[in-house]
Amino acid sequence: MNDIRTIVSNIKQGNLKPIYFLMGDEPYYIDKISDFIEENVLEESEKGFNQQVMYGRDVSVEDIVGAAKRYPMMAEKQVLIVKEAQDLSRTIEKLVSYAENPQPTTILVINYKYKKLDKRKKLHKAVAKTGLIYESKTLYENQVSDWIRRVLGGKKYHIEPKAAQMLVEFLGTDLSKIANELSKLMLILPKETIINDQHIEENIGISKDYNNFELRKAVGEKNTTKANRIINYFAENPKNNPLVMTISLLNSFFTQLLLFHGLQDKSKNMVAKSLGVSPYFVDEYFLAARNYPMRKVAQNIAILRDADVKSKGVGANLSNKDILKELLFKILH
C-alpha cells in the first residue's frame, strides 16, 4: 500500500517516469496504477492525439517501440499503455534497447499480469535504472481482512471482523472481486456504517449462518447439531459451497490448531501473529485446542486428506453429501 501511495503521489506532483513496468500475480493494483495514469497524466484535450492503448495479443514489441518513439502533438507528453502485455512474454526482452534509452516525452505503461521479469536479465536491469518496476504480490488470506478494513476506512466505513472474514472465505484473495462487492455495499449503505454479517447476507448473498466460517466455529466448539445443520445446507447448495473449499478451509483450521499446540508463548498477541489471524478470533482457538488434543488434530488432518482424495473420485464412489457427513462424523468423534 505504501508503494502505491508513493507512486500515485509522484504522478500527481508531475514526477513521472518514462516507463512503468507493472507486473505480478495480483492484477488489482496493476489496473489501479495503469488506470490512474490513463485518467490523470494528460488533459482531456490532449488525449485524442497523445494517448494510446495497445493490447499484447494484437501487437509486437516492435510496434510498441515504434509508437513509443513518436513525438507528442501539441502537448509535452504522450501516454502509451500496453495492456495484457504478458501475451508478449516470449519476446518482451526485445524491449531492452528502448528501455536503456527511452523517449523522454513518452510515458510507457506495461501491464504484465500474472508474470514477472527475470531480475537476472537485461530488461529488468534497464527498466529499474531508467523507469519504475512495480511488483504486485498476491496477499495471503490472513492479510485480506486487514486490506478490506483499510479500503473501507479510507471511504469512511467500518466492518466487523466476522463480516470481513465472510467476504474472504466466499471470495478468496481476489482483490478485484472483493473491491467490486465493497463498492456495491458503499453504494447502498451510508458513510460511517459498521458493516456486519447481516449487511453481507442481505446485499451480497452470503448466508450469515450457513458458511464455512460458521462451520469452522461449530467444529471448533464441537457443536455437533450446528455443524450438521450447516453441512446439510451445503449439500443442498453445492454451487455456492463447493466441497473442495470446505475441505481446504477445515484443513487450514486444523493446521493452525497444530501450530497453536506447538506454541510455547500462548499470549493472545503471539497466537494471533503466529496463526495469522485477527486477535478477535483467538479465543476460538483456545476453545478448539481444549476440544482437540494434538493427537486428535493430527488425526483430523489425515482424515481431511482422505476426504480430499475421495472428493476427486479416488477409492470411493460417494456423493459430496456423503463425503461431508462422513468427514464431519470422523472429525467430531
Side-chain angles (χ1 to χ4, degrees):
M1 286 288 286
N2 290 333
D3 289 345
I4 302 295
R5 292 192 187 98
T6 300
I7 292 168
V8 169
S9 176
N10 284 335
I11 293 169
K12 285 180 177 178
Q13 294 170 19
N15 183 13
L16 296 160
K17 299 289 186 180
I19 303 175
Y20 290 85
F21 203 104
L22 314 175
M23 64 184 191
D25 295 324
E26 174 49 67
Y28 179 78
Y29 282 118
I30 292 175
D31 288 335
K32 281 289 183 183
I33 296 170
S34 179
D35 291 346
F36 186 82
I37 292 172
E38 185 174 354
E39 292 164 10
N40 294 282
V41 169
L42 297 181
E43 300 291 337
E44 286 300 321
S45 59
E46 298 174 327
K47 290 180 181 179
F49 290 111
N50 298 295
Q51 186 154 288
Q52 183 179 2
V53 176
M54 293 178 160
Y55 289 86
R57 65 179 178 272
D58 299 326
V59 298
S60 66
V61 172
E62 289 79 7
D63 294 330
I64 295 168
V65 171
K69 286 185 174 180
R70 294 182 195 138
Y71 289 97
M73 294 180 64
M74 295 176 287
E76 292 183 5
K77 301 280 186 182
Q78 71 157 340
V79 173
L80 176 59
I81 299 170
V82 185
K83 298 186 176 183
E84 310 302 334
Q86 65 272 13
D87 290 336
L88 294 165
S89 60
R90 292 183 179 180
T91 57
I92 197 68
E93 283 293 320
K94 291 182 179 180
L95 197 60
V96 170
S97 59
Y98 179 81
E100 290 175 337
N101 187 28
Q103 185 78 5
T105 53
T106 295
I107 309 300
L108 174 60
V109 183
I110 307 287
N111 295 352
Y112 201 69
K113 297 177 180 177
Y114 316 112
K115 290 183 179 290
K116 296 184 289 184
L117 290 178
D118 188 332
K119 292 182 180 180
R120 298 168 298 179
K121 293 191 175 181
K122 289 183 179 181
L123 181 57
H124 188 284
K125 294 174 182 177
V127 176
K129 185 176 181 179
T130 62
L132 180 144
I133 294 178
Y134 171 75
E135 182 180 349
S136 186
K137 298 179 180 179
T138 301
L139 295 183
Y140 292 112
E141 190 172 299
N142 62 292
Q143 296 174 310
V144 179
S145 291
D146 287 336
W147 180 85
I148 290 170
R149 282 190 283 275
R150 288 198 302 269
V151 169
L152 289 172
K155 303 289 186 180
K156 300 189 184 302
Y157 289 84
H158 311 278
I159 189 166
E160 292 182 352
K162 180 184 175 181
Q165 192 65 27
M166 285 171 65
L167 286 171
V168 175
E169 295 193 353
F170 186 72
L171 299 170
T173 59
D174 188 324
L175 301 187
S176 296
K177 283 184 181 178
I178 296 172
N180 285 339
E181 297 302 333
L182 295 180
S183 295
K184 293 177 189 175
L185 287 171
M186 288 186 282
L187 282 173
I188 297 164
L189 303 172
K191 289 185 185 297
E192 303 298 343
T193 296
I194 301 174
I195 297 168
N196 58 33
D197 55 1
Q198 190 73 33
H199 294 126
I200 301 296
E201 181 174 51
E202 291 174 354
N203 299 294
I204 297 180
I206 309 169
S207 171
K208 67 182 178 65
D209 297 314
Y210 299 100
N211 56 67
N212 281 305
F213 172 82
E214 289 297 328
L215 175 61
R216 188 181 66 190
K217 186 177 179 182
V219 167
E221 295 171 348
K222 278 204 167 181
N223 187 333
T224 304
T225 302
K226 182 179 178 182
N228 275 292
R229 193 163 61 238
I230 293 171
I231 65 163
N232 285 331
Y233 177 85
F234 283 7
E236 297 300 321
N237 300 272
K239 187 176 180 181
N240 292 330
N241 304 279
L243 177 59
V244 64
M245 181 65 73
T246 299
I247 291 173
S248 174
L249 289 170
L250 285 174
N251 184 69
S252 294
F253 173 65
F254 281 105
T255 300
Q256 288 172 319
L257 209 52
L258 193 65
L259 180 60
F260 177 92
H261 278 297
L263 290 176
Q264 290 185 340
D265 181 354
K266 287 187 170 65
S267 63
K268 199 165 185 176
N269 286 337
M270 181 55 69
V271 170
K273 181 180 179 181
S274 299
L275 302 189
V277 299
S278 165
Y280 177 85
F281 298 114
V282 165
D283 288 342
E284 295 177 16
Y285 288 87
F286 279 95
L287 175 59
R290 289 195 293 271
N291 288 329
Y292 299 95
M294 185 176 283
R295 179 188 290 270
K296 179 58 177 170
V297 171
Q299 289 174 351
N300 283 347
I301 290 173
I303 289 166
L304 284 158
R305 286 175 182 164
D306 181 59
D308 182 54
V309 170
K310 288 178 179 177
S311 73
K312 296 176 172 66
V314 179
N317 189 22
L318 298 174
S319 68
N320 284 1
K321 183 176 183 179
D322 288 338
I323 293 172
L324 263 177
K325 286 192 170 184
E326 180 185 66
L327 171 63
L328 190 63
F329 179 83
K330 288 181 177 179
I331 284 175
L332 294 172
H333 295 87

